[in-house]
Amino acid sequence: MLIILSSTNIQSNVKSFRLTASGIVQGVGFRPFVFRIALKSGVRGFVRNLSGSEVEIVIQGNSENISRFFSLFFLNLPPMSRLEQVTITPFDGEILENFKILKSEVIRYEASQIPPDFSVCSDCMREVLDSRNRRYRYPFNSCVNCGPRFSMMMKVPYDRENTAMSKFPLCDECAQEYSDPDNERRFDAQGISCPKCGPRLYLEDLYGNRLDGDPIALTGKLLAEGKIIAIKGIGGFHIACDPFNDDIVLMLRARKGRPSKPFAIMSISSDVISNFAEMSPVERDILESPERPIVLLRKREDSPISRYVSPGLDREGFFLYYTPLHYMLLSEVKGNTLIMTSANKHGYPMCVTESCVKEKLNGIVDYLLYHDRDIVNRVDDSVIKFTGDRFHILRRGRGYAPLWIRMKGKFKGPAIALGAELQNAGAVMFDDKVILTQYVGDTDRLENLREMEKMLNFLMDTYNVRPRAVLVDKNPSYQSRQIAQKMLEKFPMEMVEVQHHFAHVLSVAADHGLDEGVAIAIDGVGYGDDGNAWGGEILRFAGDEYERAYHLKYVPYPGGDVNALKPRRMLAIFLSQIMSLEEAGKTAGLNENEIAMLRSSLRVNRIYTSSTGRFLDSVSAFLGVCDQRRYEGEPAIMLEASARGGRLLDLNIPVVGNEIDTSEAFRWLLSEQGKVNDIALTVQYRLGEALAKAALKLNPQLILFSGGAAVNEYILKGLKENSEGIEVITPRRVPSNDGGIALGQAHYLLLSQQS
């Protein structure tokens, strides 16, 4: 926390100061906290929210009063607040008579953070479960320490009238709590409500026919009967059904057109989850944290959860209830556990309205359980994976977004970054801050592109940003450039292109406060400086300049992205480097027509790739683990899963010139007759080892590691164990995948302005 104190020349017995507090200080009970400690310390003055999401405090009193206030202030902050900076200056205004909470002002001294959504706290759950409490079985109970924030905010400052709660006036009892300074959880708490004055819950079929009775009990009964139900949460709808019944899970897959992509599982407690999966203490802590993300845990072999929930994988995504509604619903069903997957068609945004469910999910869900509080900002569940004890964000959404990241220096002017294309997120930059949007999804789809534009506009309006630059990926075909073109028409600014893998590298550098180093970026493909499809890169960089020192051996890439969908075709291409194309095609399992088509494509091919993703896909296909891609990264993810329990075999993937020669891995595969898990583990581990050997030639002090494939536990293990004691660092606050690209682009702009 930074404290900025300006000197004061006030000589009177009454001392007056203005404090501007920034961080997470709106929507977390900060104003009522300041009010209470002001009364305890005997100071006069006021506290109010400002439009930059900061809080202004004025205090007046003698030295003893002021000293006591500061002591109480810094030692007793509200549990969900995060104080980043406090600026203290003399206040030259009139002498005040008492201490008040003033109406929020549309002025800004210091930008502050928009609070993310918080899971329900234990105090609120105790009230929900207490039959003597007036909030008994109330699905929307919350207080200053919990509940939705960002997802229901229309604008700042965080006041009730600026949120989706504006249409729910407080009843007399809630108003009394709101006005009572001694009520630490509800005094001046903007989002509170109760059964008398808050949102209502309804259960309907897809044609608008409402079911009479307790919606939660009825939903539990329908789920037990095998129905599939859309459930409105904080940031969007989930699709819920029984995870223990194979037939129901397969029916959901058939209806959703989702043959293999895993579903997330929500449970009522970590103890219940421990019946289905293994978890370390740190994984349990993250599961139970206020952010309540989905955590990928290793399955137990005797788990009763249907094998069709995450077919072919050794991990399953689990998360805990984060609203009273979820808790009560889980209490009604067998095993206190449900599939809770995003309510969307494949590739489309998650539904946030009842009309979306009825229009787009008709034929997928049987009923919808919804409430009448609007979802203003769509926020997907965050997803976390641990490799060993290393924390990786795979999807940055609820609980984490839109928290900002402070940079080492200040931008010369505000700007925006548009990230890449898949699993995308954008960012707004000003001063020394980068504010990433929540996970938006694949912006090659128009609906997600519009969502990106909406969220960037929200952040620009919130922080009064008028960008002077827009950062884009170098790939000229990315649809996100459409937003850039609109911005260029609206604002006088420049468009800056950043190479994809350099942006991956710089996302790690920004996260750790670095401006030079040696880095590895491994992923599917990204547009390279030479026009080829890069994807296995070792870069040495200083500031905004970099050298491509090593990369995975180039192989032909005819047809571009079609190769990602057909791992056996890519396998044939890799094998054709060490045998004839005819032999390679037959070994890869292609028929005569497919071989002929590939031969024709290779004749005119001008594109080559160093893709780690395509290498892993090909190994997966060779081993018979997965030979088709039905969701992003499926063959590589299944290859990683297939290595569980494997042992390391002899294999050398050499560094030849400036290339890591992956063809040696296929020579070895053709001769090795061991177990699949041994072979899968060995190839992935040895690739990490080869990356380490190449990086060490550059004499690094640290090795930065990022890209979509950087979360592979065996590659990371091979890299770390062969780096000769050099520390390997990965992103901590953004995804290694393309969800972190916008941060890397922002860091590029900052470094270029400093050079």
Side-chain angles (χ1 to χ4, degrees):
M1 178 179 63
L2 178 64
I3 300 175
I4 301 174
L5 178 62
S6 296
S7 61
T8 175
N9 295 317
I10 297 176
Q11 301 296 321
S12 68
N13 291 331
V14 177
K15 298 185 181 299
S16 300
F17 296 94
R18 171 186 279 119
L19 288 73
T20 304
S22 63
I24 303 179
V25 291
Q26 292 193 17
V28 289
F30 202 83
R31 286 181 299 179
F33 155 72
V34 170
F35 182 87
R36 283 192 296 273
I37 64 171
L39 295 185
K40 288 180 181 179
S41 59
V43 299
R44 302 183 296 276
F46 62 81
V47 59
R48 62 183 174 183
N49 282 345
L50 300 180
S51 64
S53 288
E54 77 272 44
V55 170
E56 179 188 23
I57 306 163
V58 167
I59 55 172
Q60 297 178 334
N62 60 36
S63 296
E64 183 179 344
N65 299 143
I66 297 292
S67 177
R68 181 166 171 74
F69 177 88
F70 281 125
S71 178
L72 292 171
F73 181 82
F74 288 111
L75 294 176
N76 299 280
L77 291 167
M80 302 310 295
S81 67
R82 185 180 300 172
L83 198 57
E84 288 196 2
Q85 179 174 303
V86 179
T87 302
I88 304 172
T89 57
F91 177 73
D92 297 326
E94 62 185 38
I95 301 298
L96 303 170
E97 295 183 1
N98 49 28
F99 197 92
K100 296 179 179 179
I101 297 178
L102 298 184
K103 184 179 179 181
S104 299
E105 282 286 341
V106 187
I107 57 176
R108 171 181 149 183
Y109 295 131
E110 177 69 34
S112 196
Q113 301 220 45
I114 298 168
D117 299 301
F118 303 119
S119 62
V120 61
C121 68
S122 56
D123 289 325
C124 282
M125 278 311 307
R126 274 194 290 272
E127 293 170 341
V128 171
L129 300 176
D130 182 359
S131 60
R132 299 163 297 178
N133 192 285
R134 71 188 189 91
R135 291 186 171 90
Y136 176 58
R137 290 185 64 78
Y138 179 53
F140 310 102
N141 196 22
S142 70
C143 68
V144 294
N145 297 324
C146 69
R149 297 294 193 272
F150 171 53
S151 62
M152 67 176 189
M153 282 183 64
M154 294 180 283
K155 62 181 180 178
V156 294
Y158 181 76
D159 293 326
R160 194 178 183 94
E161 61 265 28
N162 294 334
T163 74
M165 292 301 292
S166 60
K167 67 178 184 180
F168 302 102
L170 294 175
C171 66
D172 291 344
E173 290 169 290
C174 285
Q176 191 278 326
E177 292 173 331
Y178 181 87
S179 304
D180 180 6
D182 293 327
N183 191 322
E184 294 192 7
R185 290 176 47 239
R186 294 201 166 90
F187 173 52
D188 199 50
Q190 303 302 310
I192 65 170
S193 62
C194 76
K196 287 184 179 179
C197 61
R200 299 284 193 274
L201 198 61
Y202 306 97
L203 179 64
E204 293 181 354
D205 64 18
L206 272 290
Y207 304 99
N209 300 307
R210 189 166 293 172
L211 279 67
D212 295 328
D214 178 356
I216 294 172
L218 286 170
T219 300
K221 182 174 180 293
L222 290 169
L223 288 165
E225 293 171 356
K227 302 300 183 184
I228 297 173
I229 301 179
I231 296 172
K232 190 176 185 180
I234 285 180
F237 276 84
H238 287 108
I239 294 175
C241 69
D242 183 352
F244 303 104
N245 188 309
D246 287 351
D247 292 338
I248 293 171
V249 178
L250 288 172
M251 179 168 61
L252 175 59
R253 290 205 173 280
R255 289 184 180 184
K256 210 168 188 276
R258 184 168 162 171
S260 58
K261 189 176 181 180
F263 297 129
I265 303 291
M266 180 183 280
S267 286
I268 206 166
S269 71
S270 294
D271 288 340
V272 170
I273 292 175
S274 68
N275 296 318
F276 315 131
E278 302 167 1
M279 73 180 80
S280 66
V282 68
E283 287 171 330
R284 181 183 286 263
D285 288 345
I286 293 295
L287 274 170
E288 296 175 351
S289 69
E291 291 80 11
R292 294 284 170 93
I294 298 168
V295 181
L296 301 186
L297 302 175
R298 291 196 181 278
K299 301 178 190 177
R300 290 193 179 279
E301 291 186 4
D302 59 350
S303 171
I305 289 176
S306 169
R307 62 192 175 97
Y308 298 111
V309 168
S310 54
L313 302 182
D314 66 331
R315 294 178 185 248
E316 210 139 61
F318 290 93
F319 61 141
L320 294 175
Y321 71 92
Y322 51 88
T323 70
L325 170 60
H326 292 135
Y327 184 97
M328 290 188 289
L329 193 58
L330 292 166
S331 298
E332 297 282 340
V333 299
K334 178 181 68 176
N336 303 131
T337 300
L338 286 167
I339 283 177
M340 281 282 192
T341 190
S342 298
N344 65 325
K345 283 189 173 181
H346 178 67
Y348 287 86
M350 175 173 56
C351 284
V352 296
T353 64
E354 296 75 63
S355 60
C356 172
V357 172
K358 291 175 180 178
E359 176 187 347
K360 296 186 177 177
L361 301 184
N362 199 324
I364 297 176
V365 301
D366 302 305
Y367 296 90
L368 65 156
L369 178 68
Y370 70 96
H371 52 78
D372 52 2
R373 181 180 65 208
D374 293 337
I375 295 171
V376 179
N377 298 311
R378 174 169 69 85
V379 191
D380 291 75
D381 298 312
S382 296
V383 181
I384 305 298
K385 177 186 178 182
F386 284 87
T387 53
D389 60 354
R390 185 164 300 211
F391 174 92
H392 295 277
I393 297 177
L394 302 185
R395 189 167 76 193
R396 186 177 181 270
R398 178 184 48 77
Y400 298 97
L403 299 179
W404 66 38
I405 294 172
R406 282 186 181 267
M407 309 294 277
K408 279 179 62 179
K410 289 191 174 184
F411 296 96
K412 288 185 177 179
I416 60 172
L418 299 181
E421 194 86 311
L422 303 180
Q423 305 177 62
N424 207 10
V428 168
M429 303 93 80
F430 60 91
D431 298 337
D432 61 345
K433 303 166 186 69
V434 178
I435 307 176
L436 278 87
T437 70
Q438 70 276 39
Y439 163 87
V440 171
D442 297 348
T443 46
D444 58 352
R445 190 172 290 279
L446 179 60
E447 291 81 359
N448 289 325
L449 194 67
R450 288 173 176 165
E451 187 74 11
M452 169 82 87
E453 187 175 11
K454 171 192 168 186
M455 294 319 306
L456 288 171
N457 284 326
F458 172 81
L459 292 174
M460 287 193 294
D461 290 344
T462 296
Y463 293 105
N464 194 29
V465 166
R466 296 296 177 264
R468 299 180 191 173
V470 55
L471 285 294
V472 299
D473 192 279
K474 238 177 182 177
N475 192 325
S477 66
Y478 277 177
Q479 297 303 307
S480 49
R481 285 185 172 231
Q482 292 184 24
I483 299 176
Q485 292 302 325
K486 284 187 179 181
M487 294 292 179
L488 289 168
E489 293 171 6
K490 187 175 181 181
F491 301 105
M493 62 178 180
E494 62 175 333
M495 185 169 74
V496 179
E497 294 182 331
V498 187
Q499 199 281 322
H500 188 87
H501 298 93
F502 191 33
H504 271 313
V505 165
L506 291 180
S507 71
V508 191
D511 203 0
H512 292 266
L514 303 173
D515 54 16
E516 62 179 346
V518 171
I520 301 169
I522 58 173
D523 62 1
V525 293
Y527 190 86
D529 290 335
D530 58 1
N532 287 313
W534 292 6
E537 313 304 315
I538 300 180
L539 309 179
R540 177 164 47 195
F541 72 99
D544 62 340
E545 300 287 336
Y546 70 92
E547 168 199 3
R548 187 192 190 201
Y550 298 94
H551 59 83
L552 266 59
K553 182 180 179 179
Y554 268 148
V555 295
Y557 201 55
D561 290 344
V562 69
N563 299 291
L565 302 174
K566 298 181 177 182
R568 290 199 173 276
R569 173 187 165 97
M570 201 67 222
L571 171 59
I573 292 171
F574 273 101
L575 290 174
S576 70
Q577 305 304 295
I578 57 175
M579 61 177 67
S580 72
L581 181 59
E582 190 73 23
E583 291 176 297
K586 289 179 178 177
T587 304
L590 302 185
N591 60 39
E592 292 296 334
N593 286 338
E594 289 171 324
I595 295 172
M597 290 176 64
L598 181 56
R599 179 180 291 109
S600 176
S601 298
L602 287 168
R603 285 198 195 102
V604 297
N605 178 65
R606 292 185 177 87
I607 302 295
Y608 290 81
T609 188
S610 55
S611 168
T612 301
R614 299 299 81 80
F615 169 72
L616 297 173
D617 291 352
S618 300
V619 175
S620 187
F622 182 91
L623 294 176
V625 173
C626 180
D627 64 0
Q628 55 181 318
R629 194 199 77 164
R630 294 160 294 187
Y631 59 88
E632 179 69 21
E634 181 180 11
I637 293 169
M638 291 187 68
L639 180 68
E640 182 182 2
S642 72
R644 183 173 182 177
R647 63 187 180 91
L648 188 61
L649 306 175
D650 289 333
L651 165 64
N652 177 45
I653 301 178
V655 181
V656 180
N658 69 337
E659 290 190 329
I660 296 169
D661 189 0
T662 51
S663 63
E664 288 302 313
F666 289 97
R667 292 185 198 278
W668 180 80
L669 285 167
L670 289 167
S671 63
E672 184 57 48
Q673 301 298 317
K675 295 180 180 178
V676 167
N677 61 345
D678 294 340
I679 298 172
L681 181 146
T682 297
V683 172
Q684 293 169 94
Y685 180 94
R686 297 301 186 195
L687 177 61
E689 180 183 42
L691 291 167
K693 286 188 293 188
L696 289 172
K697 292 177 182 289
L698 301 174
N699 299 313
Q701 294 181 330
L702 293 169
I703 297 175
L704 290 69
F705 191 42
S706 189
V711 299
N712 180 297
E713 62 180 300
Y714 303 108
I715 297 176
L716 179 57
K717 183 178 175 68
L719 175 61
K720 288 170 58 181
E721 291 183 352
N722 294 279
S723 60
E724 298 182 1
I726 303 298
E727 184 182 1
V728 177
I729 60 174
T730 50
R732 302 166 299 182
R733 292 173 289 177
V734 296
S736 291
N737 61 36
D738 288 4
I741 286 280
L743 176 62
Q745 293 170 341
H747 197 34
Y748 176 86
L749 179 64
L750 185 63
L751 294 172
S752 68
Q753 292 173 345
Q754 294 173 347
S755 61

